[in-house]
Amino acid sequence: MQLSRFTAALLLSAAAFLPLAASAQSQPASNRVLRVAPHADLKTLDPVAASIVITRMHGLMIYETLFAWDSNLQPKPQMVESFETSPDKLTWTFKLRPGLKFHDGQPVTTKDVIASLARWMKRDTIGGKLAEYTDGMEAVDDATFRLKLKRPMALVPFALGSAVGQIPVIMRESDAKSDPMKPITETIGSGPFKFNREDWRSGSKVVYDRNPDYVPRSEPADGLAGGRVVKVDRVEWLIMPDAATAAAALQTGEIDIWEQPSQDLIPVISTNEQVKVDRYANLANQAMLRPNHLHPPFDNPKARLALAYATDQADFLSAGFGDEEWWKRCASYFICGGPNGTEAGAESYAKPNLDKARELLKESGYKGEKLVLSTSNDIAPIGRMAEVAAASLRKVGFNIDLQVADWGTVTTRQQNKGTSEQGGWNLFVTTASGATMQSPLTNIGTNMACERAWSGWPCDAEAEKLRGAFIDAPDEAGRKLALDALHKRLAEVQPYRVLGQYDQPYARRTNVAGVLAAPVMLFWNIEKK
C-alpha cells in the first residue's frame, strides 16, 4: 500500500515533535517501564459504573475478581482458593485464598466481597441475571462466604469471572456500599498494579506502579486466569489521539505498544523491522449503532427496524477498519464464528432497503424531530462510522444532529436518561469485544431488562424470557433451540443495529514479549528484553 503525501507529512511532523514532548515529560528510559498508547483517555475510574473498554482495562490493572476467564473464556479460580456446591445446587460456598490485601494494607474479607457483588449485580448485564437467581449472600467468616440461589445456575463461576461489561471487581466494603449509579473516584484495589494518582495527567498520561505486596497465583498465566506476574516496575499510558503521532512514537521506540493502531497506518508501521503487528483476541469484535429506547422515535420498534433497512454494514466497516482483510459482514448479535453465531431472523437486513426504511419510519410516527447522534473522533473508527450513520440515516428522512465531543464526555452522556434537550442522546456508534457479545448471558446490548439494561435501556419481556430459557437450558441441544428463538425475537425488536464485525490488531516493539490472549489488553506477564 502506498503512503499518501498527507499521511507521510503527518508522520514526519509527528516524529519531529516527539523528542520535545518526551523531554518535556521527563520520561524515564529504563527497560522496566512499559509505555503504551491506549485507544482512549481514562475518564471514569469505576469499572462497575462504566462498561467502556478503557475503564475495564484500568479496573483489571488495580482490582481482582473471584474467578477469571482463561484464553478460551473458561472460568478459573482467581481470588477464590476453593469452592463447593450443595447436592441440590442451590448453595455455593467459596473460600478466599490467603494473602489478599488492598493497596492501603487492609486485608480483603468476605464483607468486601459481598458488598462488591451486591453493587455489581445492580449495574451489569451478567450481574443482573445472576441477581435474578440469587436468594442471598452471607459471610461464614472473614475468608468464607455462601451464595444461595432460588434455582440452580451452572454458570455462576463464569459470571463471577466476567471480563466484559461492568466487571465484578472486589472493592473495599466502604467503596462498594456507595451508590451504584454514581461512579466512585477511589482507586484502592488488591490487584497487581497500583494507580499512581500523583503522576496522572488527564488527557496526557495515566500511570500504574507494580504492587510489591501482591501475591500471584502459582498457575501459569492464561488469558485473565493464572498467575498475574508483573515483570515491569511501571506502566504508562501515553494519550495519543493522533494516529500519526502514535505511529511515529512506536517506530522510534518512544512507546512500546500501540494498543489499537489505525488500520490505514498498519502497512506503514509493518515495514519497520522493530515493529510487530498481531491480534490479541480470539474472537472478532462487533460494531453497533445503539438507539435510545426511552424516547421517540426509537421507543417504537418500527423506527429501530428502519435503522436496519437504512444501513449497509460494508459502508460502516470499510470506513472504520479499512481493508476487508480486517472485517466481515455478520448479522448475528452473538458473533459469527463464535459458539452462538446464529443469524436466525436477521436475513432480510443483510442489504439495505431504503424504501422499506422510509415506510417504517413514517409508520413509527416520526415527524422529522432533531435526533442527536453523539460521537467522538478520539477513537477514529467510531468517529468515522458515526459520520456514515449520519449520512445513511439522513437519506431515509432522519433529521440527524451529529455532535462530536471527547470520548470521556460521550460515554458520560450515554448514562443520561433525559431527552436530547436535557443533555441526553438518541443514537451512538460503538464497538464491543467478541468475548462480550458472543453469548446471551454476556451480550450487553441484547439485555432488554428495561431500567436494568445497558445505555439505551431496551425493554422487551419476550426477549428476556427467551434469554432466560437459554441460561436455564439443561444441555447443548436445549440451548441451541432457545438461541434461535431468542435471535429471531431480537431481529424483530432490534435492541441495536448490528454493523458487522472486525479484528482489532495491536502493534508492539519486537523487544516486547508476553502479551496474553484476552478480551482486553493486559499488562502483567509482559516484559521488555
Side-chain angles (χ1 to χ4, degrees):
M1 177 179 176
Q2 188 173 9
L3 184 62
S4 71
R5 291 182 181 177
F6 177 70
T7 303
L10 280 176
L11 286 172
L12 289 172
S13 64
F17 169 78
L18 277 167
L20 294 175
S23 175
Q25 294 174 356
S26 301
Q27 297 292 343
S30 169
N31 66 354
R32 300 287 295 177
V33 178
L34 186 72
R35 296 184 178 90
V36 181
H39 69 278
D41 190 17
L42 178 68
K43 297 287 189 179
T44 304
L45 302 175
D46 184 352
V48 179
S51 62
I52 56 175
V53 173
I54 195 68
T55 295
R56 199 181 318 149
M57 289 168 57
H58 159 79
L60 290 169
M61 294 286 279
I62 66 173
Y63 295 105
E64 284 198 285
T65 53
L66 296 175
F67 288 78
W69 294 350
D70 66 15
S71 56
N72 294 314
L73 307 183
Q74 298 302 306
K76 302 293 174 60
Q78 185 59 34
M79 297 180 80
V80 165
E81 180 180 56
S82 60
F83 67 100
E84 61 183 18
T85 58
S86 61
D88 61 6
K89 307 298 182 184
L90 294 178
T91 301
W92 293 69
T93 303
F94 304 93
K95 183 178 180 180
L96 300 178
R97 63 186 177 95
L100 298 173
K101 61 180 179 179
F102 291 108
H103 299 155
D104 62 0
Q106 296 182 53
V108 178
T109 74
T110 50
K111 289 183 179 180
D112 304 301
V113 171
I114 290 171
S116 296
L117 293 182
R119 186 172 189 262
W120 166 69
M121 288 179 182
K122 293 182 176 72
R123 290 302 307 260
D124 180 61
T125 293
I126 303 176
K129 182 56 66 175
L130 180 58
E132 294 176 17
Y133 287 73
T134 297
D135 194 35
M137 293 181 284
E138 63 179 18
V140 177
D141 53 42
D142 282 351
T144 309
F145 76 100
R146 294 192 184 100
L147 172 67
K148 295 184 177 181
L149 303 178
K150 301 171 186 175
R151 60 187 191 275
M153 181 182 178
L155 297 174
V156 167
F158 181 83
L160 296 179
S162 174
V164 301
Q166 285 103 334
I167 53 179
V169 298
I170 304 305
M171 302 176 170
R172 298 176 300 183
E173 183 185 26
S174 57
D175 297 330
K177 283 192 169 181
S178 64
D179 184 348
M181 300 300 141
K182 294 181 179 179
I184 65 167
T185 57
E186 294 293 333
T187 52
I188 303 298
S190 63
F193 291 94
K194 294 182 176 182
F195 181 71
N196 187 326
R197 191 177 291 271
E198 182 178 349
D199 288 350
W200 176 33
R201 301 290 182 269
S202 181
S204 175
K205 183 169 67 173
V206 186
V207 178
Y208 301 90
D209 296 317
R210 182 178 64 86
N211 177 8
D213 298 323
Y214 179 74
V215 180
R217 295 187 67 90
S218 59
E219 301 93 335
D222 180 14
L224 283 155
R228 299 182 175 182
V229 179
V230 176
K231 299 180 180 180
V232 295
D233 292 329
R234 180 178 172 108
V235 176
E236 296 179 353
W237 293 355
L238 304 179
I239 311 306
M240 297 181 178
D242 178 69
T245 301
L250 182 69
Q251 293 188 92
T252 59
E254 298 197 37
I255 61 171
D256 305 298
I257 295 175
W258 189 5
E259 186 221 347
Q260 292 189 15
S262 176
Q263 267 81 355
D264 61 341
L265 291 178
I266 287 174
V268 179
I269 61 177
S270 296
T271 63
N272 189 319
E273 294 182 353
Q274 301 302 314
V275 172
K276 173 71 173 176
V277 178
D278 207 347
R279 294 169 170 83
Y280 62 82
N282 293 330
L283 283 179
N285 302 314
Q286 186 180 87
M288 71 181 83
L289 176 60
R290 181 69 157 187
N292 189 332
H293 295 238
L294 293 181
H295 308 294
F298 300 117
D299 57 341
N300 188 320
K302 290 185 177 182
R304 303 196 298 270
L305 286 169
L307 296 179
Y309 283 115
T311 48
D312 188 334
Q313 290 185 345
D315 292 341
F316 287 86
L317 295 170
S318 59
F321 307 104
D323 195 285
E324 198 167 354
E325 171 191 357
W326 297 101
W327 59 264
K328 65 178 287 186
R329 293 177 182 270
C330 172
S332 176
Y333 282 99
F334 304 120
I335 305 297
C336 296
N340 303 302
T342 179
E343 295 179 277
E347 297 84 357
S348 63
Y349 313 129
K351 295 291 180 69
N353 184 333
L354 302 190
D355 289 338
K356 184 69 171 176
R358 294 184 184 101
E359 177 186 337
L360 286 164
L361 187 56
K362 182 178 180 181
E363 292 176 1
S364 74
Y366 177 65
K367 299 189 186 324
E369 297 86 353
K370 183 178 72 174
L371 302 176
V372 171
L373 199 170
S374 176
T375 196
S376 173
N377 291 323
D378 290 355
I379 304 176
I382 287 178
R384 292 195 294 263
M385 287 190 291
E387 291 177 1
V388 172
S392 300
L393 299 181
R394 286 168 183 154
K395 289 179 181 179
V396 299
F398 286 101
N399 179 9
I400 300 297
D401 179 12
L402 184 65
Q403 297 187 6
V404 181
D406 64 89
W407 184 238
T409 298
V410 171
T411 56
T412 300
R413 187 175 190 175
Q414 288 171 7
Q415 309 306 313
N416 189 328
K417 293 182 178 180
T419 65
S420 58
E421 291 81 7
Q422 297 168 324
W425 54 276
N426 300 103
L427 292 159
F428 66 82
V429 173
T430 193
T431 61
S433 70
T436 300
M437 311 310 274
Q438 56 86 31
S439 167
L441 180 60
T442 60
N443 186 303
I444 58 175
T446 57
N447 173 5
M448 301 192 73
C450 309
E451 293 298 308
R452 291 190 291 107
W454 175 57
S455 296
W457 308 283
C459 191
D460 188 79
E462 180 63 18
E464 283 302 286
K465 177 182 176 182
L466 293 170
R467 191 163 70 98
F470 174 89
I471 296 169
D472 288 339
D475 53 34
E476 189 63 32
R479 280 190 288 274
K480 179 65 170 63
L481 289 173
L483 178 70
D484 284 347
L486 170 60
H487 202 275
K488 289 177 181 177
R489 179 60 180 174
L490 295 173
E492 292 173 357
V493 297
Q494 290 284 313
Y496 61 90
R497 166 58 168 153
V498 179
L499 298 178
Q501 59 193 51
Y502 67 97
D503 292 314
Q504 176 60 60
Y506 79 99
R508 60 176 170 83
R509 300 284 295 180
T510 53
N511 66 325
V512 172
V515 178
L516 296 164
V520 299
M521 181 164 281
L522 309 173
F523 297 100
W524 57 84
N525 201 59
I526 294 179
E527 57 184 328
K528 291 175 66 177
K529 298 178 180 178

